[in-house]
């Protein structure tokens, strides 16, 4: 009888030691599953990023055609300046304009859109950083780009992407692609603006 009591006490002791261990394992497993939900992959999956990727690539791909396929209504500013509304816009940005500007003896075509104009500089800079984050995870079909960030002589924050490698099978002219995100503070009215540009760069082959 005494032997049976001792055996029962021993078994209860083993059970008590085992339960906390199992509970710890369960909690650890739940923690691991929860942590995998917080990833950059999850943040960049959804209709916004799909729209951003599709629209951005449509604009860049048409740069080789001087944006002829996405030019919309023509707007005459003056006798020497003409702009076009863009048929393709990026989500979250104001409607874009297309125009050409002389640079290094060539006419460079530019697609330009404003993200925000506001008197709240904290909000403006946040919009700049948020869109910069979105662009970092948006890939171009044509080429591989390199991002450089700096502050220019006017105090503007600039994020610029230059092509460093054209994807095999794509037109080599894609090496001219330049994308620029700019945060600018207006001295006259104390407001700030954020713009995004897609344009070509002067090249020796005249394109």
């Amino acid at each position: 009888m005494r032997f049976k009591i001792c055996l029962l006490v021993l078994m209860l002791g083993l059970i008590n030691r085992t339960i906390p261990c199992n509970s710890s394992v369960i909690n650890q497993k739940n923690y691991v599953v929860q942590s995998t939900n917080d990833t950059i992959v999850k943040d960049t999956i959804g209709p916004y990023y799909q729209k951003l990727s599709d629209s951005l690539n449509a604009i860049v791909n048409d740069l080789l055609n001087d944006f002829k396929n996405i030019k919309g209504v023509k707007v005459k500013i003056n006798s020497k300046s003409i702009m076009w509304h863009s048929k393709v816009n990026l989500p979250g940005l104001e409607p874009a304009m297309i125009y050409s500007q002389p640079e290094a003896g060539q006419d460079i075509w530019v697609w330009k859109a404003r993200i925000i104009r506001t008197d709240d500089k904290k909000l403006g800079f946040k919009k700049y950083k948020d869109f910069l984050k979105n662009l970092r995870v948006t890939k171009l079909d044509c080429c591989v780009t390199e991002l450089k960030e700096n502050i220019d002589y006017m105090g503007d924050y600039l994020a610029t992407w230059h092509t460093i490698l054209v994807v095999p099978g794509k037109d080599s002219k894609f090496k001219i692609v330049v994308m620029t995100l700019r945060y600018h503070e207006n001295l006259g009215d104390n407001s700030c603006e954020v713009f995004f540009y897609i344009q070509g760069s002067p090249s020796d082959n005249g394109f």
Side-chain angles (χ1 to χ4, degrees), residues 180-192:
T180 304
L181 180 65
R182 176 187 291 269
Y183 169 84
H184 172 72
E185 294 186 358
N186 300 310
L187 299 179
D189 56 9
N190 203 37
S191 65
C192 67

Side-chain angles (χ1 to χ4, degrees), residues 137-201:
V137 295
T138 304
K139 307 302 180 185
L140 296 179
D141 298 333
C142 66
C143 39
V144 177
T145 58
E146 180 183 36
L147 170 61
K148 293 185 178 180
E149 300 180 65
N150 67 296
I151 302 175
D152 69 6
Y153 69 96
M154 295 188 299
D156 290 5
Y157 285 80
L158 297 173
T160 305
W161 290 261
H162 291 274
T163 300
I164 58 174
L165 178 66
V166 176
V167 173
K170 295 291 184 178
D171 197 316
S172 61
K173 291 180 180 178
F174 276 117
K175 66 183 179 182
I176 68 170
V177 173
V178 178
M179 302 190 302
T180 304
L181 180 65
R182 176 187 291 269
Y183 169 84
H184 172 72
E185 294 186 358
N186 300 310
L187 299 179
D189 56 9
N190 203 37
S191 65
C192 67
E193 296 178 283
V194 181
F195 291 97
F196 181 57
Y197 308 80
I198 300 172
Q199 65 186 75
S201 61

